[in-house]
Amino acid sequence: MRYPRAMPLGIFLLIAGITVLSIFAIERGENERQAAQLHARATAIASALERRANASSAYLRAGAALLSTVDEVPPDDFRRFVSELRLDSDYRGAEGIGWARIVTPTEVEEFNQLLVDEGAMADGLYPPLDSGEPYAVPVTFLEPDTQRNRRALGFDMYSSPERRAAMDEAERTSRPTATDAIVLQQEGDGTAPGFLIYMPVFEPGPGGRALKGFIYSPFNAEDFLQSALELEDAGNYGVRLYDAEAGDGTLLAATFDGEMENRDTAVKTVTIANNPWNLAVSMVENPGLSGLSMATLIFGLLVASLLMLLVRMLTQQAQEDESALAWFEEQASIRNSLTRELNHRVKNTLANVLSIIALTRRRADNVDDFADGLDGRIRALSATHDLLTQSDWGSTPVKAVIDAELLPYAQGDDHSVELVGPEVELAPNDALSLGLAVHELATNAAKYGALSQPGGKLSVRWQLITEDLVRVEWLERGGPPVAQERSRGFGTDLIERIVAHELRHPVELDFDPAGVRCVLLIPVRRPSEFMIRAARKAPQNDADS
């Protein structure tokens, strides 16, 4: 009790410190487990890539063994050979299987004629064979025979440094050999990276054997990677494949575009057809705290908080009692304020009713006329009151007020009612005044004006003429001619006196022979917040705001 604030804080910090140390130990073990899983996944994906490459190499070895036994490789025989291989799912990711024969300078014309017979897109061997080169290795056949693969026919692969290096290595080792990253001829103007696997084909020659050509397979790197991932799913890891050290210039394919610098990454060397590549497998998402760490954190904070609250309970009891007394005082102030507000609004409504009764009585010749006139005007007040109640006695749209008063006349087919204007909100008292005015005008129009006969047209338009003033124009046309000699009625007095007084602007009421025209100017009063609790003072209740 000597230190009512320091003791609870000290207990909280002690428990929080123990919780943090526990989370640190848990997360360290979790990171070690995730690192082991990451390396295991990288090893599995590397194995899947090598299996895909080995399956392709096996087909190329089989093809090389067959082609070395024939003197020539006719197109039909090569197509039959590829079709009879019955390539299964292990060969996914490859563009096909091709044959590239050795073409010496004396055999160029013969080769060009072969391209014409095959319907290649090139007119002949390209690029042209240099005089210093002993031979070219152009794409002779490439199956399946598709428009995409025909783009490569006739291309001298030996003219490309990357392809030449792989072919020379394949010839030296007599093993399938992959190129580094290249752009396949099939891509045309595209830039998607790919690679080729070459298998040399030999024939008997002087000194033992001579190079006859290469059977090969082109691969789109992205498709090759995806086909390997069908064997070993990457799960929540991102995979990138490089043909050398990791870098943007050596990237062959990737399963995500994010940065790798701040992620745990496992790098494996993958041998793809006698060519070492690098496989990088990394966490795609930062897992954050583990489930056990989160549970420990929540439990530790909960225990620390409970102990701190227990120590603080006695001192807080007095504060809570004081707050309860203040709350009761505030509620009493709110009830008093609401009572004054309700009293103010009831007085305003009763004042309007008394004014209507007084004017109706002056104009009525008998009790029935007095009752009928009073009933309609009270109903008009009631309709507008309903709108104000729906809006909790807040602002009410001009259109809603006019719609409520013209509802009995808007359904007829023998006359038209047009309401045009923007969204404008009115204060409660101004909405009541507008409702009374529209009721009187509508009653007069139904008895003597545009709403009393077929073909009549009523137009009510409103617009903001300033930020704080809206102009409402009532215009009747197509009804009976308006009599110019008439006695002054209650409606005229109500509009020009009561309504004009409430709105604080004169009303323009014109009984033109073509139809009644009335213009009202209504203030647009900006709503202000009803501050009941402000400084514990009685609120300023303004029924017009």
Side-chain angles (χ1 to χ4, degrees), residues 9 19 49 82 113 154 189 249 265 323 330 337 355 384-385 394 398 416 483 495 510:
L9 182 60
T19 302
L49 287 169
V82 174
Q113 183 59 45
D189 296 331
T265 302
S323 298
E330 183 181 30
S337 300
S355 298
T384 308
H385 266 264
V398 172
S416 65
I495 294 172
D510 183 15

Side-chain angles (χ1 to χ4, degrees), residues 3 58 86 147 173 204 239 241 270 291 294 318 334 379 414 419 421-422:
Y3 305 101
R86 303 184 183 279
Q147 190 73 11
T173 61
V239 180
L241 187 60
V270 183
M294 287 297 298
I334 292 174
R379 288 181 183 275
D414 54 352
L419 306 180

Side-chain angles (χ1 to χ4, degrees), residues 33 106 127 147 198-199 201 220 313 363 394 399 418 466:
R33 184 184 66 83
T106 60
Q147 190 73 11
Y198 292 104
M199 179 64 194
V201 178
N220 178 282
M313 186 178 297
R363 302 295 180 181
K399 187 175 185 302
E418 179 185 35
T466 66

Side-chain angles (χ1 to χ4, degrees), residues 153-320:
L153 295 180
F155 173 66
D156 179 14
M157 294 186 287
Y158 208 61
S159 64
S160 168
E162 295 84 358
R163 293 172 173 84
R164 174 179 291 199
M167 285 188 281
D168 289 344
E169 181 66 15
E171 181 184 5
R172 186 184 67 83
T173 61
S174 298
R175 296 170 56 188
T177 302
T179 66
D180 290 335
I182 61 171
V183 177
L184 300 177
Q185 289 298 114
Q186 288 92 320
E187 299 294 342
D189 296 331
T191 59
F195 64 96
L196 299 160
I197 297 180
Y198 292 104
M199 179 64 194
V201 178
F202 298 100
E203 62 182 354
R209 65 180 185 179
L211 182 64
K212 184 177 182 178
F214 293 89
I215 186 171
Y216 76 99
S217 285
F219 294 83
N220 178 282
E222 190 75 24
D223 294 341
F224 178 72
L225 177 59
Q226 292 299 331
S227 69
L229 293 180
E230 291 178 3
L231 299 177
E232 291 292 339
D233 185 21
N236 293 326
Y237 300 100
V239 180
R240 289 190 175 186
L241 187 60
Y242 302 89
D243 68 346
E245 294 295 329
D248 293 337
T250 61
L251 180 64
L252 277 167
T255 61
F256 75 109
D257 298 328
E259 296 295 332
M260 297 180 59
E261 285 76 6
N262 299 323
R263 304 178 188 274
D264 294 335
T265 302
V267 178
K268 298 288 183 180
T269 299
V270 183
T271 301
I272 303 296
N274 203 28
N275 192 349
W277 290 354
N278 282 327
L279 173 70
V281 181
S282 61
M283 297 291 296
V284 174
E285 297 179 356
N286 185 4
L289 292 178
S290 64
L292 182 58
S293 296
M294 287 297 298
T296 302
L297 175 62
I298 294 173
F299 179 76
L301 293 178
L302 181 61
V303 171
S305 300
L306 288 176
L307 290 176
M308 182 178 65
L309 290 174
L310 182 62
V311 175
R312 287 281 296 169
M313 186 178 297
L314 294 177
T315 56
Q316 286 182 345
Q317 187 63 48
Q319 296 175 348
E320 291 174 0

